[in-house]
Amino acid sequence: MVGLEIEGGKPLRGEIIISGAKNAALPLLCLGLMTSDKLVLKNVPKLADTVSMEGLLRHHGVQVDREGETVIMTGGASQFDAPYDLVRKMRASVLVLGPLLARYGEARVSLPGGCAIGTRPVDLHIRAMQALGAVVELADGYIQARVTHRLSGGRVVFPMVSVGATENALMAAALAKGPSELVNAAREPEIVNLANCLNAMGAKIIGQGSGNIKIEGVDDLQGTSHEVIPDRIEAGTFAIAAVMTGGDLTLHRTFGRNLDALLMVLKKTGARITETDDTIRIVAEGRPIATDITTDPFPGFPTDLQAQFMAMMCVAEGSSRISETIFENRFMHVSELLRMGADIQVDGGVAMVRGQRSLSPAPVMATDLRASVSLVLAALTIKGVSQISRIYHLDRGYSRLEEKLGNCGAILRRIKAL
Ligand code: EPZ
């Protein structure tokens, strides 16, 4: 098992170019199922998850070619079954459901199975498809969905905000017959990026980025060329790393306004933040001051930055209350941070963190994508050598992490068999 060895205790100083957003690229890639024309996606990060999604699309019959960070897709799908062995690797595979139903009238998608951060059901995805006229059955561990002629526009009300279910509903409604309305839709920038690409392909969508999205279904979608937005979670991860290590980082190719919630909190911890349209500079002013957070759907504090923020609070001045409201089990990083000497008490969805002047090196294990990067951040603050195992989780969501951090003074290297 490949691990990561980190010699910490040095401030991160330098510049990082932020890659395309994993969570924008994954639904955008599914649009390759919705047209036979050439669809060109630029700034697609090369990650384990995007490579998995490209593999799934090829399985469906889409011609997928990659030239660096550009992915070219043509041909559309010729088979509509997403098997367990492909879907279990990545929950986002469920995003082929809406596109397949909308364009081909049928889909058989394996249920994703659980993952480290919770059961993560797909009931909201299924209810959205049913609201658009699909007949959906669950059998043999699969979602079996079909529609006699064509999806028909309808009102989809989400009882709770769901990024993925909003994306599936948006893609399905784009080709349904007649008007649709998504109520209590997710407002993430990745959904705006997806809707804008659909509109460039001929869809008629308004209200993306608000909780109420209206779609006028069209008969077909054409090809286009579209750019994946920068990864706000990668940018936020590095911003937190700069503060934790007492450093000074300039992040390029960012959309600051997509990180307002984090930047506001970082200013409360004492960091100095300056922004231009597409750069953010973070300068630490001494040890971070402990600050409370509660995760919320966008534009609130992102759950995908909770683990990283907790790592920072472990070395902050004072105590912090961290409330995780999106997932029922997103504190998997706590036990590993405790091994590094952190002082954290968990009660249900709330963690109380008492900041220490420093943590201590210890071998730790990554459990999920964001938990694994929180351990990297913690190790960067520790004088001495820390080792993190199962870092394949990292490769799912961070491209060239060692190179980006290494260019800013971090000392980290991959090692065999931990
Ligand atoms: C997306 O996951 C992201 N993944 C996640 O990022 C992110 O944490 C999450 O949104 C919340 O922002 C991608 O975009 C590929 P949800 P998704 O549906 O769509 C419950 C990362 O680290 N729910 O918004 O799966 C669900 O259990 C990943 O990059 C249902 O109950 O999240 C959760 O508690 C991790 N039924 C809550 O809603 C459903 O049908 C929010 O989930 C769907 C979701």
Side-chain angles (χ1 to χ4, degrees):
M1 194 79 72
V2 175
L4 203 55
E5 198 168 74
I6 298 173
E7 194 178 326
K10 299 165 187 58
L12 287 175
R13 288 206 180 95
E15 313 198 28
I16 297 176
I17 294 179
I18 297 301
S19 299
K22 166 180 84 81
N23 291 349
L26 293 173
L28 282 168
L29 285 165
C30 294
L31 298 181
L33 297 165
M34 300 190 76
T35 178
S36 302
D37 293 358
K38 184 160 86 164
L39 177 58
V40 179
L41 295 178
K42 295 179 183 146
N43 200 29
V44 181
K46 198 164 175 64
L47 300 164
D49 274 10
T50 48
V51 169
S52 295
M53 183 61 86
E54 290 158 34
L56 178 59
L57 295 173
R58 288 192 188 95
H59 167 83
H60 282 302
V62 180
Q63 169 78 28
V64 183
D65 298 303
R66 185 183 261 272
E67 293 162 13
E69 300 203 322
T70 297
V71 173
I72 300 117
M73 292 180 283
T74 49
S78 50
Q79 75 91 355
F80 317 123
D81 184 315
Y84 178 57
D85 66 319
L86 290 178
V87 171
R88 68 186 172 79
K89 281 191 286 188
M90 182 182 60
R91 171 184 168 77
S93 309
V94 73
L95 294 174
V96 303
L97 178 64
L100 289 173
L101 263 181
R103 180 122 190 274
Y104 306 99
E106 61 174 292
R108 183 173 180 273
V109 181
S110 168
L111 285 165
C115 74
I117 60 178
T119 52
R120 299 179 75 186
V122 288
D123 56 315
L124 300 177
H125 296 248
I126 291 167
R127 282 169 55 174
M129 296 305 111
Q130 290 168 329
L132 298 175
V135 174
V136 183
E137 285 156 10
L138 295 184
D140 315 322
Y142 278 78
I143 303 167
Q144 310 201 16
R146 68 185 183 290
V147 59
T148 318
H149 299 297
R150 180 180 172 188
L151 289 176
S152 42
R155 191 161 187 270
V156 184
V157 180
F158 293 102
M160 65 188 290
V161 172
S162 163
V163 171
T166 299
E167 289 166 343
N168 249 330
L170 188 63
M171 293 186 281
L175 282 179
K177 186 170 177 50
S180 295
E181 181 183 14
L182 310 187
V183 180
N184 196 27
R187 300 167 54 187
E188 271 67 6
E190 293 75 30
I191 286 170
V192 175
N193 200 205
L194 177 66
N196 292 349
C197 185
L198 277 163
N199 282 342
M201 294 168 73
K204 294 191 176 110
I205 301 167
I206 55 170
Q208 56 270 37
S210 78
N212 195 300
I213 303 176
K214 289 189 170 62
I215 306 107
E216 185 59 47
V218 295
D219 294 339
D220 54 35
L221 294 171
Q222 295 74 45
T224 190
S225 175
H226 193 74
E227 177 133 351
V228 177
I229 56 170
D231 194 321
R232 61 193 169 96
I233 303 303
E234 184 191 30
T237 301
F238 291 132
I240 291 170
V243 179
M244 291 175 71
T245 59
D248 176 350
L249 277 188
T250 297
L251 307 176
H252 295 278
R253 281 207 224 147
T254 63
F255 281 171
R257 61 182 178 283
N258 286 347
L259 267 174
D260 282 348
L262 171 73
L263 297 181
M264 192 170 68
V265 168
L266 288 185
K267 287 172 188 162
K268 284 167 75 175
T269 68
R272 191 156 35 91
I273 311 272
T274 43
E275 292 175 72
T276 67
D277 259 359
D278 65 351
T279 62
I280 302 174
R281 184 178 177 191
I282 306 97
V283 182
E285 300 284 1
R287 204 170 146 205
I289 299 157
T291 305
D292 298 346
I293 59 158
T294 297
T295 62
D296 260 324
F298 191 87
F301 191 96
T303 175
D304 291 348
L305 288 173
Q306 177 259 108
Q308 299 90 314
F309 187 81
M310 186 183 289
M312 176 163 76
M313 291 297 101
C314 290
V315 294
E317 205 167 316
S319 294
S320 159
R321 182 181 187 278
I322 295 176
S323 172
E324 170 57 60
T325 69
I326 307 292
F327 290 104
E328 80 268 15
N329 182 30
R330 204 169 194 174
F331 285 150
M332 302 290 284
H333 40 288
V334 168
S335 51
E336 301 307 306
L337 289 169
L338 291 173
R339 289 175 51 75
M340 293 171 130
D343 180 346
I344 307 169
Q345 288 176 338
V346 171
D347 179 7
V350 174
M352 288 305 296
V353 184
R354 192 173 292 124
Q356 314 287 308
R357 186 161 289 286
S358 66
L359 300 175
S360 43
V364 291
M365 183 178 78
T367 51
D368 62 86
L369 168 57
R370 307 304 174 180
S372 54
V373 85
S374 76
L375 301 177
V376 173
L377 300 191
L380 288 173
T381 67
I382 299 170
K383 286 189 176 26
V385 176
S386 302
Q387 294 187 335
I388 303 172
S389 62
R390 300 191 178 188
I391 57 149
Y392 56 85
H393 290 290
L394 270 180
D395 297 334
R396 296 191 54 175
Y398 291 92
S399 66
R400 297 179 292 112
L401 183 71
E402 293 107 284
E403 178 193 325
K404 290 172 179 172
L405 289 173
N407 290 343
C408 298
I411 300 175
L412 63 174
R413 55 187 162 272
R414 288 200 181 216
I415 48 175
K416 286 265 172 278
L418 266 178

